[in-house]
Amino acid sequence: MLRLRFFTDAVSAALIALSTAYFFTGKALHEWLGLFAVLVLIAHNVINRRWWAKPLAGTFSAQKGVVFALNAALALSVVAVAVSGAMLSRHIFPFVPSGGGLFARNLHTTSAAWLFVLSAAHAGLHAPFFAGALKNLFRLKKSVPAPREKTAAKTAARLVVPALGVALAICGVFAFLRRSMGQKLTAEASFDPFAFGDALPRFLFDYGCIAALFFVIGAALRKILSR
């Protein structure tokens, strides 16, 4: 089950990231990537259906309240992306009426932006799960290191990983501004700003940094709430 959960999370993250690159993938591929992303996100919720059965079970805490609010907002953004995507579709769901192209486009752009940042924050709130999953999935079966080597490796990891996260988050702040993410979150922009000569690697790097920024925010929020 751990491998399945980690696999669905990794695939959904990759599909969401690729779905943002509309100018590089084209409309047809964008629609298919979006459809698969929604299906994988539905699978993610099916796998975690026990949480939805009793989201606030037990003693109420601020952390439970924040997690519930974020998950509810994330679920609403998935529904909004799926509905507006079907309304704008010209290849997979051409039979669905648009109901006003500009409204559907604004809804799709805004809900997709919220889906992106909320997914990253959601992952940050569950940072211990991903850390444990990576340790279990990629643990190498080698000779047991000496206590000093093991301690040094842990110390290095505790220093390098947070430093890398902070560096990417700082890059994410500039990418957030460069990609007009704030305008998309507030429904002020219906299109991605696309500069001539923009390359797919840079585009994905920018969005990866934005994801890192909100992942760090989610992880920091989890630490604050847990105290």
Side-chain angles (χ1 to χ4, degrees), residues 45 51-52 68-82 115 118:
N45 284 277
W51 183 89
W52 285 108
F68 175 78
L70 189 145
N71 287 348
L74 190 52
L76 287 175
S77 66
V78 172
V79 173
V81 166
L115 173 60
L118 290 176

Side-chain angles (χ1 to χ4, degrees), residues 145-169:
R148 286 186 179 179
E149 295 177 356
K150 192 173 182 180
T151 303
K154 284 186 176 181
T155 303
R158 288 175 181 175
L159 293 174
V160 172
V161 173
L164 180 61
V166 170
L168 290 174

Side-chain angles (χ1 to χ4, degrees), residues 118-177:
L118 290 176
S119 297
H122 173 83
L125 282 173
H126 296 83
F129 163 75
F130 291 102
L134 287 172
K135 287 180 181 178
N136 290 328
L137 292 174
F138 300 103
R139 184 168 49 197
L140 299 177
K141 296 182 179 180
K142 293 184 178 180
S143 58
V144 179
R148 286 186 179 179
E149 295 177 356
K150 192 173 182 180
T151 303
K154 284 186 176 181
T155 303
R158 288 175 181 175
L159 293 174
V160 172
V161 173
L164 180 61
V166 170
L168 290 174
I170 293 173
C171 293
V173 173
F174 293 101
F176 185 93
L177 299 174

Side-chain angles (χ1 to χ4, degrees), residues 73-106:
L74 190 52
L76 287 175
S77 66
V78 172
V79 173
V81 166
V83 172
S84 59
M87 293 169 65
L88 293 170
S89 175
R90 292 295 177 269
H91 298 274
I92 303 177
F93 304 107
F95 50 86
V96 177
S98 64
L102 185 58
F103 168 77
R105 184 177 296 280
N106 287 334

